[in-house]
Amino acid sequence: MKHASQLVPWAFACALAVVNCSSLLQRLQSELSPRLSGSGLLSETAPARWSEFDAPNPGVVVNVATESDVAATVRYCTAHDIPFLAHNGGNGWATTFHLDKDGVMINLAALNHVTFNADKSQATIGGGSNISNAIDHAYAAGTLVQTGNCNCVGVLGAILGGGYGNLMGTYGFGVDNVLSLRVVTADGRLRDVTAASDPDLFWGLRGAGPNFGIVTAATVKSYPAAAAEDMQAWTGNLVYTSDQLEDVVQAIQDLVLTPDMVIFLYFLADATTGVPAVIAAPFLYKGDAAAGRAAFAGLYAVGPVADTTAIVPYDQWNVASDALCTRGSFKPGWAAGFQDMVPATWRAVWDAYVAFQRLPGAASSGVLLEAYDLTKARSVPAGSAAFPNRNVRFNAFAIPWYNDSSLDARAAAFGGAARDLLRATSGLPRNQTYVNFAHGDEPLTEVYGDGVPRLQAIKERYDPGNVFDEWFDIRPGGTSNTSKASYYY
Ligand SMILES: Cc1cc2nc3c(=O)[nH]c(=O)nc-3n(C[C@H](O)[C@H](O)[C@H](O)COP(=O)(O)OP(=O)(O)OC[C@H]3O[C@@H](n4cnc5c(N)ncnc54)[C@H](O)[C@@H]3O)c2cc1C
């Protein structure tokens, strides 16, 4: 569904069927292609996305080969009022996308270079690199970068919203590790943005990044390994029966995380039996079995029925979650941040999950929780980046995963109920949701916090025409394909 301001000549002609919209490709072949670094960069085939639910549906894909291609495409689309959207890992599940057949997807996949400075203390990561690519390069170089925990996710897609990851306890949020960003802004300029060069834009990009431009590369801190143990962690799955749920939840509530510890909780079907399971996944950086069992003694005391924990090298940390990266199907997400694990809340979430998961074709649905030590993240001043959630202890989301759109209403009922339950006992004075996990119907202050007015002022300066409006549009009354009214705060 289009925002009124986007009913511009080309889109308007398409809407009225004055022109054949399939000729958008022909038009771009003749007008845009000569401005790109090579021929053959245009296509009508969109890259596969993680979720097909409310996914962007472009008329043309520009498979950029250089950062100049990004700038040329932005300049062209802006000049001709053609909607566009950057595609990186393709995992964004929010319902805020509205790119349609009259629009252009800028596929960043070829911008996947990862390089390091001489002492490996800095990594420069292309705007189209996914996490597995970045980790593979870092591992080969003998250094570590703070990325997210799923291989398929765009490194920058995660960081521009905040950037949670296994190394967070030690190194802080993704946004805290950014040194500089190369960004194509709405005017088509390629800028090197640092805290010194453009303090407001640098601030806004680190939490609300997709609202301000397309990042072609980021230079981030990198942490050279000094010893073999720096390149490993102790992690794996502890599996429980559903009647142990309350004890598992209480054990997580009681866990005192140190910077090297992360805890995940999953409601997921057993891969072989399809039976829903309660799975805790502890992570201990540089740990071994003895240290891991000691650090997560409370979870061992509950008595897991299966234990796959082991010492895992850095380049394999995310392999266990590769199944979660499966492309396709409908996977809308509903998320909440909260301060306490409440057993009764999680029992009710479990009941809602099991009721949906048993529906035909919905077995892969899940609920996921994560918690990190926040000492390092909180040592950074709260207002130093637009990312607003340094105070939030736990984040969780429900993912109905299905193929038949007749389940849409049931999926929304499950996801919405899980979110309501988590919000009801959140222990937070107001709802706070990580923008990269949010559904798309949240008020702006829920995902961007008190920074909304400053973000809106930066928007006026760098993108007054609001060409970057697909990802939790920060302007009052900005486009949403759910409830427009909910975007007023
Ligand atoms: C399986 C899975 C695992 C996840 N794990 C984590 C995790 O460990 N940590 C975490 O923090 N989050 C995680 N997330 C959430 C993730 O951060 C968001 O889904 C994020 O939006 C995905 O970015 P992407 O590049 O993969 O997706 P896309 O859909 O390509 O991008 C999402 C939005 O960001 C914009 N964008 C992406 N790259 C750029 C760029 N270079 N410049 C400008 N805009 C850009 C896109 O235009 C789009 O609006 C996970 C999500 C999934 C589905």
Side-chain angles (χ1 to χ4, degrees):
M1 179 143 141
K2 294 285 136 209
H3 188 237
S5 66
Q6 292 178 291
L7 287 177
V8 290
W10 175 255
F12 194 57
C14 283
L16 295 179
V18 172
V19 297
N20 176 356
C21 284
S22 69
S23 66
L24 179 60
L25 180 63
Q26 291 160 0
R27 181 180 170 199
L28 266 61
Q29 292 284 20
S30 73
E31 296 178 4
L32 174 61
S33 193
R35 304 176 199 197
L36 301 178
S37 62
S39 58
L41 300 181
L42 305 186
S43 163
E44 284 180 315
T45 307
R49 294 194 62 83
W50 183 71
S51 170
E52 289 162 11
F53 186 87
D54 259 352
N57 184 27
V60 171
V61 178
V62 182
N63 296 298
V64 294
T66 65
E67 59 185 10
S68 299
D69 290 342
V70 178
T73 307
V74 168
R75 267 196 304 274
Y76 176 83
C77 288
T78 303
H80 295 87
D81 293 319
I82 295 173
F84 62 90
L85 171 71
H87 174 102
N88 182 356
N91 289 268
W93 69 59
T95 57
T96 62
F97 293 122
H98 48 86
L99 192 76
D100 220 326
K101 286 296 175 196
D102 60 343
V104 168
M105 177 171 273
I106 300 177
N107 181 10
L108 302 173
L111 305 185
N112 64 353
H113 56 278
V114 180
T115 57
F116 299 90
N117 66 347
D119 68 2
K120 314 275 172 61
S121 63
Q122 297 181 10
T124 298
I125 301 176
S129 172
N130 68 15
I131 287 171
S132 81
N133 177 56
I135 289 180
D136 285 350
H137 278 85
Y139 187 72
T143 188
L144 297 95
V145 283
Q146 208 290 61
T147 66
N149 305 332
C150 277
N151 281 328
C152 55
V153 172
V155 174
L156 265 303
I159 288 179
L160 294 176
Y164 285 84
N166 283 324
L167 293 170
M168 247 189 69
T170 312
Y171 300 125
F173 281 103
V175 290
D176 301 333
N177 284 274
V178 175
L179 298 168
S180 66
L181 296 161
R182 272 183 68 83
V183 188
V184 176
T185 43
D187 53 9
R189 269 180 62 192
L190 188 52
R191 303 169 191 247
D192 283 303
V193 179
T194 66
S197 74
D198 305 84
D200 286 331
L201 186 57
F202 188 67
W203 178 85
L205 281 163
R206 292 173 306 126
N211 271 283
F212 298 111
I214 298 178
V215 176
T216 59
T219 298
V220 300
K221 291 178 190 165
S222 158
Y223 302 95
E229 64 170 16
D230 293 350
M231 281 281 186
Q232 65 192 42
W234 170 88
T235 188
N237 289 342
L238 303 177
V239 184
Y240 300 89
T241 55
S242 61
D243 60 319
Q244 294 174 298
L245 175 61
E246 281 82 355
D247 291 340
V248 172
V249 169
Q250 191 59 51
I252 293 174
Q253 166 71 10
D254 295 342
L255 202 55
V256 179
L257 292 174
T258 52
D260 46 0
M261 292 167 71
V262 186
I263 185 67
F264 304 91
L265 176 67
Y266 306 127
F267 295 167
L268 287 173
D270 180 281
T272 42
T273 64
V275 174
V278 175
I279 302 166
F283 176 97
L284 183 67
Y285 182 41
K286 305 184 198 184
D288 58 20
R293 283 177 166 268
F296 294 93
L299 279 163
Y300 275 96
V302 177
V305 296
D307 178 352
T308 68
T309 53
I311 294 174
V312 180
Y314 175 44
D315 64 338
Q316 303 294 307
W317 287 356
N318 295 347
V319 168
S321 58
D322 277 351
L324 288 174
C325 278
T326 308
R327 309 265 107 179
S329 301
F330 302 126
K331 307 184 194 103
W334 281 265
F338 51 97
Q339 304 300 61
D340 291 302
M341 294 290 285
V342 178
T345 297
W346 280 86
R347 173 57 64 187
V349 172
W350 170 265
D351 290 344
Y353 156 70
V354 170
F356 184 79
Q357 189 269 353
R358 70 161 70 103
L359 296 173
S364 299
S365 301
V367 178
L368 293 86
L369 161 109
E370 56 187 39
Y372 302 85
D373 175 73
L374 293 166
T375 313
K376 175 71 182 175
R378 288 175 182 164
S379 71
V380 176
S384 62
F387 173 78
N389 290 348
R390 290 176 198 276
N391 63 317
V392 174
R393 196 171 155 213
F394 297 100
N395 288 285
F397 51 87
I399 299 283
W401 182 324
Y402 57 105
N403 294 303
D404 180 350
S405 59
S406 70
L407 291 186
D408 281 353
R410 301 282 294 270
F414 156 47
R419 184 173 68 175
D420 286 349
L421 286 161
L422 295 169
R423 283 174 171 174
T425 56
S426 75
L428 290 166
R430 69 177 189 210
N431 295 333
Q432 283 182 256
T433 301
Y434 177 36
V435 67
N436 281 357
F437 290 166
H439 179 70
D441 59 349
E442 294 83 355
L444 288 178
T445 46
E446 181 168 338
V447 292
Y448 294 129
D450 293 331
V452 173
R454 185 174 175 191
L455 289 170
Q456 290 173 339
I458 300 168
K459 172 64 98 169
E460 278 306 313
R461 237 165 84 205
Y462 289 95
D463 182 17
N466 204 25
V467 296
F468 295 104
D469 70 343
E470 297 258 347
W471 189 248
F472 295 87
D473 180 4
I474 55 168
R475 297 229 302 203
T479 308
S480 159
N481 65 357
T482 49
S483 162
K484 197 168 166 190
S486 69
Y487 269 65
Y488 292 92
Y489 60 96

